[in-house]
Amino acid sequence: MTKQDRAVRTRLALIRSAAEHFESRGYVRASLAEISAGAGVSSGALHFHFVNKAAVAEAVEHVAARALRRAASRSRGGDGCALQRLVDVTHHVGRLLRADVVVRAGLRLNAEAATGRVRDLRREWRECVQELLAEAERKGELAAGVPPHRTIAVVLAATTGLEVLSRDDHGWLGRHSLTDLWHLLLPCVAAPHVAVALDPAGSGPHLVEPDTDADADADADAPQGDTDRAGLALR
């Protein structure tokens, strides 16, 4: 293993350890000593990669944002049904949050603005939902009299609520919860000829967990400290 490979592995281990401690203890209570010990490295190794705890938290947010961006990008473009792609992306994001502590911790840190965030992941999620529902309206997929802006509000409230509830019980973001949500919503918002073809359980593969921060290249260009702040959009 080269020196560069070891450095990448150490950085990823520190990010995962930080995410675990941020999730279990919160940003304020988590210490750099705990994070370095959890990664199996010295405090000096931690400070080689991160100047302070805020820089570690920013790196966690960065990896989470990258994973969420990949999930959102799968829903954009193509000729398929926009409503089905909206259903599918909620399931994919749900699987991301269940599977990866880094994504969970990064989204929570971002929502709580723990580090003076430079990106707003919930705003970007709103833009993703808004874009897909606007496309659904253009394609005639929405039921007559259904205002897109109200549908956006309902979807955002429901998905954000499930994410908050899942902090104590990851089952809230399980496939069954999201499927139940879409079973209730789709008959109300989808045009009848579209609704019959929609799958509330999602149309993509569900048995394989999505790629997350486990890939070394997922964090190859992550911020190195407070002076390197690169925002990511879910676009």
Side-chain angles (χ1 to χ4, degrees):
M1 183 185 298
T2 67
K3 185 176 181 179
Q4 183 177 5
D5 289 336
R6 286 195 297 271
V8 170
R9 286 178 180 269
T10 298
R11 182 180 176 84
L12 290 173
L14 286 165
I15 289 172
R16 176 162 290 278
S17 177
E20 291 170 349
H21 284 89
F22 291 149
E23 182 179 51
S24 64
R25 294 176 55 77
Y27 174 77
V28 173
R29 294 178 60 198
S31 70
L32 291 178
E34 291 172 328
I35 291 169
S36 60
V41 302
S42 67
S43 295
L46 183 150
H47 286 290
F48 175 80
H49 291 278
F50 304 106
V51 296
N52 53 31
K53 186 164 68 172
V56 183
E58 185 181 350
V60 172
E61 284 190 34
H62 181 99
V63 175
R66 176 174 287 236
L68 291 167
R69 181 186 66 182
R70 287 201 300 264
S73 68
R74 297 183 183 186
S75 70
R76 288 180 162 88
D79 299 322
C81 176
L83 281 179
Q84 184 64 65
R85 281 186 278 126
L86 177 59
V87 172
D88 293 348
V89 73
T90 62
H91 279 288
H92 190 69
V93 170
R95 292 199 306 281
L96 272 174
L97 289 166
R98 292 198 311 277
D100 198 326
V101 65
V102 178
V103 178
R104 292 195 301 273
L107 183 57
R108 183 168 181 174
L109 286 168
N110 185 262
E112 295 174 353
T115 63
R117 67 189 179 196
V118 294
R119 64 185 71 86
D120 185 340
L121 298 181
R122 285 188 174 166
R123 176 185 59 79
E124 292 171 359
W125 172 243
R126 181 175 68 246
E127 292 173 355
C128 178
V129 172
Q130 189 171 11
E131 179 181 318
L132 287 169
L133 285 172
E135 181 183 346
E137 183 184 32
R138 291 195 303 270
K139 292 181 173 180
E141 296 175 6
L142 299 183
V146 172
H149 68 279
R150 291 186 181 177
T151 306
I152 292 167
V154 170
V155 172
L156 290 175
T159 53
T160 301
L162 288 174
E163 182 265 318
V164 172
L165 288 169
S166 74
R167 294 177 184 178
D168 295 320
D169 179 0
H170 297 166
W172 280 104
L173 280 173
R175 187 183 180 190
H176 65 282
S177 295
L178 289 165
T179 300
D180 288 345
L181 169 66
W182 288 114
H183 266 301
L184 291 171
L185 289 183
L186 289 176
C188 299
V189 303
H193 72 281
V194 175
V196 296
L198 295 175
D199 185 354
S203 62
H206 296 282
L207 298 179
V208 178
E209 292 294 348
D211 293 333
T212 55
D213 66 300
D215 296 321
D217 64 348
D219 192 52
D221 60 347
Q224 300 297 310
D226 288 345
T227 59
D228 184 2
R229 297 178 176 272
L232 287 179
L234 302 187
R235 289 185 281 177

